[in-house]
Amino acid sequence: MNYTYILKCSDGTYYTGWTNNLDKRIKAHNAGIGGKYTRSRRPVELMYYETFDTKQEAMSREAAIKQLTRSQKEQLILQNREKQGMPAEAGPGIKDSERED
């Protein structure tokens, strides 16, 4: 399984990426080894993700999301929350500090 995801950084900005292990990748971002952009913007919170069968599909979707405006990304996140029956103000992901391993 491959994932395209959007993280919300501690400064309020969004980071979009792809991975084949979402939990491990979020932990890496929060440990400061996940990406240069997120390193100084920790902690990060998972706001949105999609699943894909292939790496190529996930990478293509990542590129498409990166072309969206902030407003469009927020709309995508909001629509996903509504689809999952989540309140608009609550994030669909679990902060790394709340995970039980």
Side-chain angles (χ1 to χ4, degrees):
M1 191 66 57
N2 296 278
Y3 304 87
T4 300
Y5 60 91
I6 300 174
L7 302 176
K8 186 171 187 178
C9 300
S10 63
D11 65 357
T13 59
Y14 292 117
Y15 174 86
T16 303
W18 79 273
T19 185
N20 61 5
N21 187 329
L22 191 56
D23 286 337
K24 182 178 177 181
R25 187 69 174 152
I26 293 168
K27 287 178 183 177
H29 280 293
N30 277 318
I33 56 175
K36 192 177 197 180
Y37 184 83
T38 59
R39 195 170 297 145
S40 63
R41 294 171 170 86
R42 295 179 285 155
V44 298
E45 179 182 359
L46 178 64
M47 299 301 289
Y48 176 87
Y49 71 92
E50 295 178 36
T51 58
F52 299 94
D53 291 329
T54 68
K55 172 183 170 180
Q56 291 75 21
E57 290 172 309
M59 291 175 72
S60 177
R61 182 62 172 146
E62 173 194 16
I65 291 174
K66 284 183 174 184
Q67 295 301 309
L68 299 177
T69 65
R70 178 180 177 86
S71 176
Q72 290 169 322
K73 289 175 188 174
E74 288 173 342
Q75 188 62 36
L76 185 65
I77 292 165
L78 181 61
Q79 288 171 349
N80 186 62
R81 288 180 182 169
E82 290 172 353
K83 193 185 309 181
Q84 295 180 352
M86 299 180 134
E89 65 279 354
I94 299 172
K95 290 181 182 176
D96 191 52
S97 61
E98 298 171 343
R99 289 192 189 282
E100 294 181 17
D101 292 326

